[in-house]
Amino acid sequence: MYYQICQKHIFSPFSGWLLANNALYAYRYVSNEQHKTPPRELENLDLQVRDYFDSTQNNPGHLMEQGETYFHFMWISTSPLRAYAKKSIQPGSKLKDLGKWAFFAPIFKDYGWWIIKNYPIQFSRYYLFANVKRYSLPPVEFLESYNSGLNEVPDYIKNWFHYKSNILSYKVKNPVYTILPLYSIWSAIINIQILLFIIIYVWLKCYRYYPIKLDVLLFLSFFGLINFAFEVFSTLISLRFQIFSIWIFTCFSYILLGCIIIQLKKTDA
């Protein structure tokens, strides 16, 4: 379906938009003196982006200058990506919203890679390092409050779940969940804990006596590294993306701990 729209094989339009979004958070710190001329097919898009940064940079009242990396360049209507897409759509185009996303995904992907390849230092400093900090203590985001703090839902949600009303009723007195921020702290603890327990488990050679063998440890380590690399490079980290890995590491860390304690007791005996 996507090939019919953009004449390129793409897995998901979201990936192209996301790559450009991530790259722009680094690109905004590239000065005019450092700027390089992009390929011809990217010149108009780059001009739109540079004009946007010239008008918003160092403006404390502007949304893009108020926070860390996020999805703003994808969703905010005034972002240069959205503005370029709107400007480039021909009048009378029959493309629907998904079609528009698919149509611009390849050029945004190319643009994102061009920025990353030409400005690796800025990308590492302003995107990757910021994401490593988010990985260490993932933000809760809108999960901190029930239904993002709203007491009603749109009609399409009401119809989908067959609710009787748009107004939500909930039994908790305070819709703000104070327990979820603790998951962020637990994520930081468990990442250090699983690494420490794997090292001790191998050092004591527990894999000779217990069911968690070296191949399982290698798989667990490989999963952790791939998960870390993927989340840091490809997406903007938040707690909702890390729940699965948190529980995997939690389960294995206490299995490892149990084996380590038993082995230490045998050693002392």
Side-chain angles (χ1 to χ4, degrees):
M1 180 182 73
Y2 297 137
Y3 182 81
Q4 295 175 350
I5 297 173
C6 58
Q7 301 303 306
K8 288 189 177 182
H9 294 286
I10 57 175
F11 178 73
S12 169
F14 184 84
S15 60
W17 284 75
L18 180 62
L19 186 65
N21 174 85
N22 298 347
L24 289 187
Y25 276 102
Y27 196 41
R28 65 176 176 169
Y29 294 102
V30 174
S31 65
N32 291 330
E33 291 74 21
Q34 297 171 310
H35 180 253
K36 301 175 183 179
T37 303
R40 177 179 292 274
E41 64 272 14
L42 301 177
E43 285 182 349
N44 290 336
L45 172 57
D46 187 65
L47 181 61
Q48 180 100 31
V49 170
R50 298 304 296 181
D51 287 345
Y52 175 85
F53 285 141
D54 287 342
S55 63
T56 61
Q57 202 165 32
N58 299 322
N59 179 1
H62 198 275
L63 177 64
M64 302 299 184
E65 300 296 317
Q66 292 178 2
E68 294 183 331
T69 53
Y70 200 58
F71 298 104
H72 293 131
F73 290 113
M74 296 174 62
W75 303 119
I76 302 300
S77 60
T78 56
S79 81
L81 299 182
R82 305 277 290 198
Y84 175 81
K86 183 178 180 180
K87 181 180 178 181
S88 302
I89 289 291
Q90 297 294 328
S93 172
K94 296 181 180 180
L95 288 176
K96 303 297 182 182
D97 289 341
L98 181 59
K100 293 176 183 177
W101 270 71
F103 185 80
F104 290 101
I107 190 173
F108 288 163
K109 179 182 178 181
D110 293 342
Y111 188 56
W113 278 120
W114 177 79
I115 293 173
I116 293 170
K117 291 176 182 177
N118 283 275
Y119 307 100
I121 296 176
Q122 288 89 342
F123 185 73
S124 299
R125 178 180 178 182
Y126 295 108
Y127 177 77
L128 294 181
F129 182 67
N131 235 11
V132 168
K133 292 193 294 182
R134 291 170 70 97
Y135 186 90
S136 304
L137 199 67
V140 180
E141 294 184 315
F142 52 80
L143 294 181
E144 190 173 9
S145 59
Y146 180 74
N147 195 41
S148 299
L150 304 175
N151 64 351
E152 59 181 275
V153 295
D155 287 334
Y156 68 90
I157 294 180
K158 169 182 170 291
N159 297 333
W160 178 266
F161 290 102
H162 303 289
Y163 291 155
K164 295 180 180 179
S165 171
N166 295 75
I167 305 300
L168 295 175
S169 61
Y170 40 85
K171 296 181 179 180
V172 293
K173 294 182 179 179
N174 184 1
V176 177
Y177 298 131
T178 55
I179 191 173
L180 283 178
L182 297 178
Y183 269 87
S184 291
I185 299 174
W186 180 244
S187 175
I189 294 172
I190 203 63
N191 283 319
I192 298 173
Q193 183 173 287
I194 188 67
L195 178 61
L196 180 63
F197 286 172
I198 288 176
I199 293 173
I200 296 174
Y201 190 87
V202 173
W203 180 57
L204 294 175
K205 299 180 180 179
C206 296
Y207 52 84
R208 293 182 176 179
Y209 315 103
Y210 302 104
I212 301 183
K213 303 299 182 182
L214 272 177
D215 54 351
V216 178
L217 290 178
L218 288 173
F219 175 79
L220 188 63
S221 302
F222 180 75
F223 169 79
L225 289 173
I226 291 298
N227 180 69
F228 173 80
F230 175 79
E231 291 202 20
V232 168
F233 183 83
S234 301
T235 188
L236 297 167
I237 295 172
S238 63
L239 181 63
R240 56 198 166 104
F241 299 145
Q242 290 193 258
I243 292 295
F244 178 73
S245 61
I246 288 173
W247 282 109
I248 290 291
F249 292 154
T250 297
C251 294
F252 272 97
S253 66
Y254 285 108
I255 295 174
L256 291 171
L257 178 60
C259 296
I260 290 170
I261 292 174
I262 294 173
Q263 185 64 19
L264 288 174
K265 288 182 178 179
K266 287 183 178 180
T267 304
D268 292 339

